[in-house]
Amino acid sequence: MNTQKLVKILLLKAIKHILFWSVVLLFFTYFFSAGSSNFKDTLMFSMFLMPTTIATTYVSIYKLIPEYLLTKRYVRFGVYTFYTLVISMYLIMISIFFSLIYLSNFEFEQMNPITRNIILVTSSVYLVVILVSAFKLLQLNLKSNKKTAVLESKILETQLKLKEQELNYLKMQIHPHFLFNTLNTMYGSALKKADETPDMILKLSNLLDYLLYQVDKPFVSLENEIHHIEDYISLEKMRFNETINVSFFKDIHSKAISIAPMLFIPFVENSFKHGTLKDGVLNINLSIEATSEMINFKISNSSLNTQNKNEGIGLQNIKKRLELLYPNQYQLDIFQEQFKFTVNLQLNIKSKLANE
């Protein structure tokens, strides 16, 4: 801020203060002149009372309120307020004594009727102090609330950016991991010179389109996610041939349901990667049931392990993404039985849609 602009601001502030205290002086003069025809003496008395009023007011709004009341230093605020009252009362007594000596020549009966009333004079001064202090307190509270709102907005913006960066990082983890497994499937098929290779390339092309372009969207349709799950399952079936048995049950009540992209595919991928052949067959049972309020995703695969020690990057990733995308809106259960590994995910999409 340059000097010229600062001087202009200070000048405007000084003019506002002068105008305000001029109004207060007129108020005192009008109020104390009740029952008296001597306007000159009333004006003199009001002018002598003004320094006390101004000093008490400024001590309140520039010292007591901002330094002690707003900072919750209540003991000091009470002590210094008491000191201010005592000193101001003393100065008010001097003003009344001045009226008696210089304006009434020590004739008590010649004093303005109101100026003889200590309670009215004191109340007039403190009325101004209280009104100005209340306005200042309101002004400071509004300013504080505005600063708090701006700070909260900046914090929220920072949190959103961090959340976005973390989500992007998690997506970057999914991309090479998912692509690597899929390319391995194609490589095995190409070595065998299988007739299904062109169909695999087409399905991989669809998956890559989803992976590279659709996944950057915050939400995609559940129907779209299911379609690409089916493509992925088809690719894996081509790789496993007769050694895989996949059951996929779908019960979708609405086509308008949306979810975060690549939310379910890592679970499916994990089942193929860590599933174990039982009696020469890998059994995978997958079901997706969805209403306008809830999505229930469940997948299980045959497993001979008593404990699943290799969740892999897929499950770790999905847990983090669920915390970011569906906080307090999901339930994820992962458990290992003697011959089966199961993942059950429930999403409350009703509250998610209400927040969008």
Side-chain angles (χ1 to χ4, degrees), residues 238-269:
M238 294 176 186
R239 179 165 70 96
F240 280 87
N241 293 324
E242 302 298 326
T243 61
I244 188 171
N245 179 30
V246 180
S247 171
F248 191 178
F249 173 76
K250 294 162 284 185
D251 184 13
I252 313 300
H253 291 186
S254 173
K255 293 185 177 181
I257 300 174
S258 297
I259 62 165
M262 296 287 290
L263 195 63
F264 297 144
I265 289 180
F267 289 124
V268 179
E269 179 188 9

Side-chain angles (χ1 to χ4, degrees), residues 147-162:
K147 287 183 178 179
T148 302
V150 171
L151 181 60
E152 289 177 350
S153 177
K154 290 182 179 180
I155 292 174
L156 180 60
E157 184 179 353
T158 302
Q159 290 176 339
L160 289 174
K161 287 182 179 179
L162 289 174

Side-chain angles (χ1 to χ4, degrees), residues 90-244:
Y90 174 75
L91 295 175
I92 291 172
M93 292 301 103
I94 292 179
S95 300
I96 296 175
F97 189 67
F98 164 81
S99 176
L100 178 63
I101 297 175
Y102 294 100
L103 301 179
S104 304
N105 297 319
F106 287 98
E107 295 292 337
F108 184 76
E109 297 298 330
Q110 293 184 13
M111 289 181 65
N112 187 315
I114 293 184
T115 60
R116 286 181 289 181
N117 192 322
I118 297 176
I119 296 178
L120 282 178
V121 174
T122 305
S123 299
S124 302
V125 173
Y126 290 139
L127 176 63
V128 175
V129 175
I130 292 172
L131 289 177
V132 176
S133 298
F135 177 77
K136 183 66 174 181
L137 185 59
L138 177 62
Q139 188 180 48
L140 290 174
N141 280 334
L142 290 176
K143 187 176 181 180
S144 176
N145 291 338
K146 186 177 180 180
K147 287 183 178 179
T148 302
V150 171
L151 181 60
E152 289 177 350
S153 177
K154 290 182 179 180
I155 292 174
L156 180 60
E157 184 179 353
T158 302
Q159 290 176 339
L160 289 174
K161 287 182 179 179
L162 289 174
K163 180 178 178 180
E164 183 179 354
Q165 289 176 356
E166 186 171 359
L167 283 172
N168 288 334
Y169 170 72
L170 293 173
K171 288 177 183 178
M172 289 174 63
Q173 284 184 315
I174 291 176
H175 293 182
H177 185 66
F178 179 77
L179 182 60
F180 177 78
N181 289 340
T182 307
L183 286 176
N184 270 346
T185 301
M186 276 200 61
Y187 176 71
S189 177
L191 287 178
K192 297 177 183 178
K193 298 181 181 180
D195 295 335
E196 298 88 354
T197 302
D199 189 32
M200 292 183 67
I201 293 175
L202 179 61
K203 292 183 182 299
L204 178 61
S205 175
N206 292 333
L207 284 169
L208 286 176
D209 176 75
Y210 186 62
L211 189 69
L212 297 176
Y213 301 107
Q214 305 299 321
V215 79
D216 288 331
K217 298 178 181 179
F219 294 96
V220 296
S221 69
L222 177 59
E223 189 178 30
N224 201 16
E225 177 85 355
I226 289 175
H227 174 71
H228 288 89
I229 290 176
E230 291 173 333
D231 279 347
Y232 180 80
I233 291 174
S234 297
L235 286 170
E236 291 296 333
K237 280 184 174 181
M238 294 176 186
R239 179 165 70 96
F240 280 87
N241 293 324
E242 302 298 326
T243 61
I244 188 171

Side-chain angles (χ1 to χ4, degrees), residues 290-320:
T291 66
S292 58
E293 298 181 357
M294 184 75 66
I295 298 177
N296 189 6
F297 172 89
K298 185 176 182 180
I299 187 169
S300 62
N301 59 268
S302 55
S303 173
L304 298 180
N305 299 325
T306 57
Q307 183 179 4
N308 183 35
K309 298 181 180 179
N310 299 312
E311 289 190 355
I313 194 172
L315 293 185
Q316 295 174 15
N317 186 303
I318 202 65
K319 288 178 180 178
K320 294 178 182 178

